[in-house]
Every structure is written in C-alpha cells, then in structure tokens.
Amino acid sequence: MKWWMEHKFRMIQNNLRDIDAGLDVEYEIAKLKEFGVNVLQIGCGGISAFSPSGLDCQVKSPYLERDMFGILTERCHANGIKVIARFDVSKVHESLADKHPEWLSKRADGSFIHFNDTVATCINGEYQQEKTLEIIREILEQYPVDGIFFNMFGYQTRDYDDQYVGICQCENCQKRFRQMYGEMLPAEENENDPVYRRYKEFKEITVRDILCKIRKTVDAVDPDIALSTYSSYNVDIIRTESNSAVDRPYPFWIYSASDNTASVEGTFPDRVSSNCAINAVDIPYRFMGVSPYLNQIRLYQNLANGSNLDWCIIGAFEDYPDRANFAGVKEVFRFQEKYQQYFDHLQSGAKVLLIQPCPPYGGGFSAEYRGIFRMLKEAHIQFDVVMQDHLDLAVDRLGQYGLIILPGIDRIKSRQFAQSLKGSESVILATGCSLGEDRTLLQELFGQVLMEKVEPVRGSYFNTLPRDVFQSFSEQDWVYLDKGFYRIQGAGEAILPYVSPAMYGPPERCFGHEVTDMAGGMIYGEKHIYLPWQPGTLYYHHGYEAFKNLILDLIRHMGCTKDEFTTTAHSSLELFYGPCGDHRYLLQMINLSGFNGTTVGKPVEQKEIMVHWASGTPKRVWELGLAGETIQVCTHELRIPSVNLYRAYLVEFEQECKLNA
C-alpha cells in the first residue's frame, strides 16, 4: 500500500521566501518534531530554486549558499519525516521572461502579466510543457523525496492583487485551440457563448494532458512518489484549502474544512484529501494568523471527516511573527498521532448523500448546496458528499443511502448515475429548481415538468400545509418566498400552496394576498420530493430557521432517516459518527458556538449533552484525551458533561450497529 494511503498524515507546509534559502535546518527539524509532524511540504523549485540546480530554466534564490533542500530532506528522513517538494511553475523570474517570451501568458491586448519581478507563464508554452518535466526529473533523480506538489496549477485568470487578467491569448493557446476546435479563442468568459463552452472543455483536456506527462515522469523514477495539486485527475493527494480573505463577501463559511474534506473523501475512495488550513488572514497579510479557534476548527474538521492534517505558514519558523496558533496546531496534531489507529480506519456510516454542484471550489460555490449542507449539520444528520462532475464514481454505492439530495443540480451528466437514480430505492429530494436543463429525467423521477418562471415573487409566501407534514409550523402559517421559483405541474400530492404577492408599503395598503391552487412544492408517488424554489439559498443568505424546518419536516415525514441515534446537542455542535474498526465507532464533536457570523471566538461551553442509541447498547465507551483513554459509564445513553472546542469518544458494540443520525 502506498504511504499516503496506509496512514493519515500530519503535514506542515513552509511556503519559502527567497530569504529562507538560508534557514536553520536543525531549528526547522526541532520545530517539526515539537508539532508532531510526519510530512513536510516545502519550497523546492519553479519561481525560485532552493537547491543548486544546473538547469538554465531555473533561477536559484540569491540567498542560497548551500544545498538547503538536500540537507533538509536528509535530516527530515533521519527523523521519520517525509518530504513533499513544492513547485510553482505558474511564473518565472523576469530575466527568463526576457529571454523566452514564448513561455508567457498574454492578455487580450498582447501584454504580459507581471507581478513584482515575476511574469506569468502559460500552461501551453514550452516552459510548462517541457521545462517543468526537466525540473521534476532533476529533483527526483538527486533527492529521495516522497512526493511533489504544484501550486497555482492550470489556467490562471487573476493575479495576486485579485485583478482579472482574462483568458490567455498567447500564440501557443491560439494554435492549440485552433488545432482542436478550428476556431479562434474566445475573448471573454461568457457561458452563453458556445465557443467559450468549448474553451472550458479545452482547459480540462489540456490540464489532464500535462498531468499525464507529469505522472509519467514521476513514475519513471519511482511510482511510490505521491503527486499532489488542486486537481482530482491522475493525482494521489487532492489538495484543497480553507482560507480567509479580507474582501470575501459574507456569509462566512464556517464549515469550509468539513465541506472540502467530505467532498473529496466521499467522491474519490482511491485517493486522499489534504485540506490545508491556511494560517494567514489573507495573501497580503500572510504574517498574521486567523483566530486560534478558527484555526483549530479547520484542523478538527479535517480530522473528524477522516482526512489528513495539513497546515501552512509563510516562511520559516525562526522569524515568523505570529505564534498564537502554534499551541492549537500542536494539540490537534498530537491528538491524531496518539489515536492514529482509529483515524486510519475511520469511515462513513452515513445514509444520506448530498450532491455538490460544480464547480466545487472557488467563487462559483452554490448557495443552495451550502444552505442544505448547513441544515443537515445543524440537525446532526450524518451525510456523504459527492461532486457533480464525478457521479460515475458513486453509482455502485447508491444502495447504501436512504436519501439522496440534489441541491440546485442543473443536470446529471452521468448516464450511469441517472439510470441508477431512476432505479434507486432511496428517497430523492431535489431543491433549488434542480434538473431544469434535463426535463426528461425530471419527469422520470418526479412525474412533472418545469413550467414558466414565476416573476415577480417578492412579497409572496408559501402556506405551510399540510400540517401533518410540516409539524414545526403549528404557530406559523406562511413562509416567505424569494429568488427563483418555477410553476410546476404533474400528478401527485400538492404541498406548500403558493400565496400570491400583494401591495406593500404603508401598513394601510398591506393586504390582498391570496392562497392560490399553485403548489410551491410537490411529493410524487410514495417517495420523491421536488421543490422548484431555493430554500437552501434563502437559509444560507438569510438564516431563518423556517427554511430549515421545512426541509427537515419533509425528510422526517418521508422516513428517510431512522432515529437509531439521537442527541440533545445544540445545533452549533458539529457532530460526527462513523465506524473505525470492528464494531467500533468514533463519536466526535466540534463546538462552533464561538462563531457569531464574523468573529470566531472562544466557544460557549455546552453542558449535559445526552446521546441515545435506540438500536443497541454499547459494550464499552472510552473518552479519548491527550492524557489517555478513560472508560465511561454507558447504558443505552451516554452523558457528556460538557464540550468546549472538541471532544471525542470511542464506542464499541458487541455486534455491528448501523447509524442513521
């Protein structure tokens, strides 16, 4: 078994600056051991070389006086620490750019993309296509590294100031696109332009092509060297990030690490997730860390989702000015190290599957998805996540789920997955006007078709009927509707009658609403549920519990989840429960109560939490702590006296005990 699959790792990444070429190697090793690190990811080549490279396509750091990378790699291995070499070939030093303009990316006006003393390269140019392979071979043949990682891999359309630089218009891109499609490159990103849609396909194909070249280069030296980047294709370690930015719009996504790790772990069983908890508050402010509680939450979410631990700072330890997060990182790393055997075998026992709309990361996230994600988390419902672009990988697993949720999924491109959905015994819940681009599948699953979009909807409501379904609404008749809403038709039981908008303004004129015969959502047959509006989006943006309660009432009414496991925990307690060995389960809790929408402060201690197993009584329960395991008194209930930031229990049964939370 490959080393990255055999055990969960604890990785720190030092993003080296040129001046770190002279870092104190022994001090670095001492700090890594102090943190409990077993993998170091560190700068090696690309923009700057931190080894005495003999290649004319590499510019060595001007501060390099010895083979820092080689010495550090040797000392890491002597101390049981694996090394992943970090490369960034998205830019080169301006001295190389002057000699090789054919390597560079171009704006629409023909100008190159400068930033400080670097210039952006293009993925279709000789530097990334050929010289990168030379750089890799030189390092792999000289140093026994355990993996390689590429930063800013692929097509970049924004610079470090977050300024838009556009679609690369260099001669290499123009030639390759014309050869593949017989057309000129698009000048702008316009989803309605068929040429731009082909360009998106072009990007995917060319990125995969170069990853194949890199994979072949690496395997030719040693197939046990891990390949990692921010892509899922042909890599071993899929990298994501939980980061912050001072200009990022709210709401702040407190579940970032859970989202990133769950989607990778749930989609790619043959690869591993490494979600980097970025210490810095933003790229321009790399020398100040985020809140210690936010930092730990991200790491604990990685841990609890069965992922690896991954944390990053700029530069070397010796002069890093913000050490406030060091103690918290050590605590999480040491906890994983102590209970490695359980985390190595941690799996999901979830009976709910949530489909993550593409693109999975970046500015194009789905608010509908995030709202549903948050609802499930707050209700302590265990669920898996699978990415929309990779649904083929989940086809064989659909039988294990009682509920499959499609939150704003415009279409199912995977024919296998679509066929499996049609034959599935699971309840299918579709929200956010899903399948609007696939009317055939929509009708096959729900017996209905989307009709015209209803406009305007502002000032309209849903009547919370029937009450035997919406039991949370005994004192609330109407729930407001906003954003997208489609009139639907078809056979089946109508729910949530539409209340038409009326006048508003002065109180004297606020009347005239009518409860219509138009259904807001419909249940078809005995199982599936379709909502042609956006409850997840409304909950994500506005936070009113009515939207969450509508969804949870529907799920409970359809019997999608069983009450084999219940808890009195508050909704701000993120709860995880999954098998970690024969008849053994890990129960983990992360207290998010310190998050108020912007600040992530000290959590409010949550006391006297009860966990009840309806399906059986545990044989033994141990609390897991840094000081060791402590046996707990347990019948069919476990009393948890308090939870500060994190608490974990190992639960053992006489025989297998399935969980539906």
Side-chain angles (χ1 to χ4, degrees):
M1 183 180 291
K2 307 291 188 181
W3 69 263
W4 56 89
M5 296 291 290
E6 187 174 6
H7 298 292
K8 304 297 181 188
F9 55 75
R10 302 175 298 281
M11 180 167 76
I12 281 181
Q13 173 178 291
N14 288 103
N15 276 342
L16 296 186
R17 308 157 294 174
D18 273 353
I19 60 173
D20 297 314
L23 67 78
D24 184 332
V25 170
E26 292 308 315
Y27 185 84
E28 175 79 11
I29 295 295
K31 295 302 289 186
L32 295 175
K33 293 173 69 175
E34 186 180 309
F35 276 82
V37 168
N38 59 7
V39 178
L40 170 66
Q41 183 162 291
I42 197 156
C44 178
I47 295 174
S48 291
F50 294 94
S51 64
S53 173
L55 300 174
D56 59 6
C57 59
Q58 283 271 74
V59 174
K60 294 188 288 291
S61 164
Y63 298 86
L64 187 71
E65 297 180 352
R66 56 177 181 162
D67 186 0
M68 185 278 293
F69 182 78
I71 296 169
L72 182 59
T73 299
E74 180 182 357
R75 293 296 296 131
C76 279
H77 285 169
N79 285 274
I81 301 169
K82 296 186 182 299
V83 176
I84 296 179
R86 179 186 183 274
F87 298 91
D88 190 331
V89 296
S90 67
K91 299 166 190 65
V92 291
H93 188 268
E94 58 190 4
S95 61
L96 290 179
D98 293 340
K99 297 175 185 177
H100 297 283
E102 72 278 6
W103 291 356
L104 308 180
S105 183
K106 283 186 178 180
R107 294 185 179 91
D109 63 6
S111 63
F112 299 128
I113 303 162
H114 291 261
F115 203 89
N116 296 329
D117 60 352
T118 66
V119 190
T121 63
C122 176
I123 190 173
N124 293 307
E126 181 190 13
Y127 178 73
Q128 289 203 38
Q129 288 288 324
E130 298 178 18
K131 298 299 182 181
T132 294
L133 304 181
E134 294 180 17
I135 294 170
I136 294 170
R137 276 194 293 268
E138 181 185 55
I139 293 299
L140 298 190
E141 289 172 358
Q142 291 187 19
Y143 307 104
V145 300
D146 303 284
I148 63 172
F149 166 77
F150 284 90
N151 187 55
M152 295 191 76
F153 191 79
Y155 291 82
Q156 307 298 324
T157 59
R158 308 194 82 85
D159 67 15
Y160 271 103
D161 275 336
D162 200 32
Q163 297 299 308
Y164 183 69
V165 297
I167 295 171
C168 178
Q169 299 292 325
C170 77
E171 290 78 3
N172 297 304
C173 283
Q174 291 183 33
K175 179 180 178 181
R176 195 169 185 183
F177 189 75
R178 189 165 53 249
Q179 288 174 340
M180 291 174 62
Y181 296 94
E183 296 185 271
M184 298 291 292
L185 280 170
E188 60 182 26
E189 299 180 67
N190 179 5
E191 291 290 346
N192 296 321
D193 180 4
V195 178
Y196 175 67
R197 293 197 293 270
R198 285 190 279 277
Y199 176 71
K200 290 174 67 176
E201 179 183 74
F202 166 79
K203 290 196 297 181
E204 183 178 347
I205 291 171
T206 51
V207 166
R208 289 187 172 197
D209 176 71
I210 196 168
L211 279 171
C212 284
K213 291 181 179 179
I214 294 171
R215 173 92 272 169
K216 185 176 180 180
T217 301
V218 172
D219 287 351
V221 177
D222 186 350
D224 288 329
I225 295 173
L227 176 58
S228 173
T229 190
Y230 301 106
S231 172
S232 62
Y233 182 74
N234 219 357
V235 300
D236 305 299
I237 301 171
I238 300 175
R239 198 90 184 288
T240 53
E241 285 186 6
S242 289
N243 54 41
S244 303
V246 295
D247 295 325
R248 186 168 297 161
Y250 290 99
F252 185 87
W253 188 227
I254 193 65
Y255 295 106
S256 169
S258 279
D259 188 359
N260 290 348
T261 51
S263 59
V264 173
E265 294 288 329
T267 305
F268 304 102
D270 60 337
R271 277 159 274 184
V272 300
S273 164
S274 188
N275 179 62
C276 186
I278 302 291
N279 191 67
V281 298
D282 201 349
I283 285 177
Y285 303 115
R286 283 193 173 109
F287 296 96
M288 174 178 164
V290 299
S291 154
Y293 298 103
L294 174 58
N295 187 65
Q296 277 196 295
I297 283 170
R298 288 169 170 171
L299 291 172
Y300 277 128
Q301 286 178 340
N302 285 3
L303 183 81
N305 279 286
S307 183
N308 297 285
L309 294 178
D310 184 338
W311 185 68
C312 169
I313 63 169
I314 184 75
F317 284 108
E318 53 200 274
D319 64 348
Y320 189 70
D322 189 345
R323 298 168 297 283
N325 284 333
F326 285 15
V329 175
K330 294 173 188 176
E331 180 180 300
V332 184
F333 275 40
R334 289 299 185 187
F335 188 86
Q336 193 256 35
E337 181 180 29
K338 186 172 187 63
Y339 299 107
Q340 177 109 40
Q341 59 177 319
Y342 305 134
F343 290 107
D344 282 349
H345 296 95
L346 182 59
Q347 298 176 335
S348 170
K351 301 302 178 184
V352 176
L353 178 64
L354 179 64
I355 309 302
Q356 182 191 69
C358 57
Y361 306 109
F365 71 84
S366 164
E368 184 66 20
Y369 162 79
R370 284 191 173 181
I372 300 296
F373 188 107
R374 180 181 160 197
M375 293 176 188
L376 297 175
K377 280 291 183 182
E378 291 177 349
H380 307 119
I381 294 174
Q382 305 297 290
F383 61 96
D384 290 338
V385 177
V386 171
M387 300 175 186
Q388 181 182 358
D389 279 348
H390 302 280
L391 292 177
D392 280 346
L393 300 176
V395 168
D396 294 338
R397 292 182 276 142
L398 287 190
Q400 73 189 52
Y401 300 109
L403 172 64
I404 300 171
I405 305 178
L406 312 178
I409 304 296
D410 52 3
R411 64 168 54 249
I412 302 293
K413 295 179 182 178
S414 166
R415 293 185 179 180
Q416 280 186 295
F417 191 84
Q419 285 298 120
S420 297
L421 275 185
K422 289 188 286 186
S424 173
E425 294 297 317
S426 307
V427 172
I428 300 172
L429 169 61
T431 74
C433 314
S434 285
L435 303 181
E437 297 181 13
D438 192 343
R439 303 292 181 88
T440 300
L441 182 60
L442 178 67
Q443 189 162 7
E444 289 173 335
L445 290 176
F446 302 98
Q448 61 166 318
V449 293
L450 281 177
M451 299 297 287
E452 76 275 10
K453 189 172 185 179
V454 177
E455 301 239 22
V457 298
R458 182 148 292 185
S460 60
Y461 301 83
F462 291 130
N463 197 343
T464 54
L465 295 175
R467 285 296 163 78
D468 63 326
V469 175
F470 300 107
Q471 297 181 15
S472 300
F473 293 87
S474 60
E475 301 297 327
Q476 185 176 5
D477 295 339
W478 292 2
V479 172
Y480 77 81
L481 172 63
D482 203 57
K483 304 187 184 297
F485 171 53
Y486 284 79
R487 185 194 307 270
I488 56 178
Q489 69 176 17
E493 179 188 358
I495 60 172
L496 299 174
Y498 179 68
V499 181
S500 66
M503 295 183 292
Y504 64 91
E508 292 84 353
R509 298 296 182 267
C510 291
F511 60 89
H513 294 281
E514 293 184 7
V515 179
T516 72
D517 58 0
M518 185 194 306
M522 289 185 154
I523 298 175
Y524 282 90
E526 297 297 325
K527 293 179 6 177
H528 302 330
I529 306 167
Y530 187 87
L531 298 178
W533 54 292
Q534 301 176 58
T537 301
L538 293 173
Y539 190 57
Y540 176 69
H541 285 298
H542 304 161
Y544 292 109
E545 286 203 314
F547 302 114
K548 175 174 68 174
N549 290 337
L550 284 172
I551 297 300
L552 296 180
D553 280 351
L554 281 172
I555 292 174
R556 290 172 184 133
H557 178 74
M558 298 306 292
C560 306
T561 58
K562 299 177 182 178
D563 290 331
E564 295 181 59
F565 178 94
T566 58
T567 179
T568 60
H570 187 265
S571 61
S572 62
L573 195 72
E574 189 177 6
L575 188 147
F576 303 82
Y577 187 94
C580 62
D582 291 340
H583 313 319
R584 287 183 166 184
Y585 295 79
L586 266 182
L587 172 66
Q588 301 177 81
M589 291 149 284
I590 304 173
N591 187 350
L592 307 181
S593 64
F595 174 56
N596 68 3
T598 53
T599 301
V600 184
K602 182 179 180 180
V604 178
E605 184 181 15
Q606 301 196 30
K607 298 182 178 181
E608 297 299 328
I609 297 166
M610 302 302 295
V611 176
H612 175 87
W613 285 273
S615 57
T617 300
K619 177 182 177 182
R620 279 184 293 268
V621 176
W622 296 269
E623 181 180 355
L624 306 182
L626 282 173
E629 302 175 349
T630 306
I631 195 74
Q632 302 293 299
V633 176
C634 182
T635 57
H636 62 287
E637 285 187 331
L638 172 65
R639 174 185 167 273
I640 300 170
S642 65
V643 178
N644 287 308
L645 183 60
Y646 174 83
R647 202 156 188 167
Y649 292 87
L650 180 67
V651 184
E652 183 178 18
F653 290 88
E654 290 284 0
Q655 56 187 2
E656 197 70 13
C657 174
K658 299 296 182 182
L659 165 72
N660 288 318

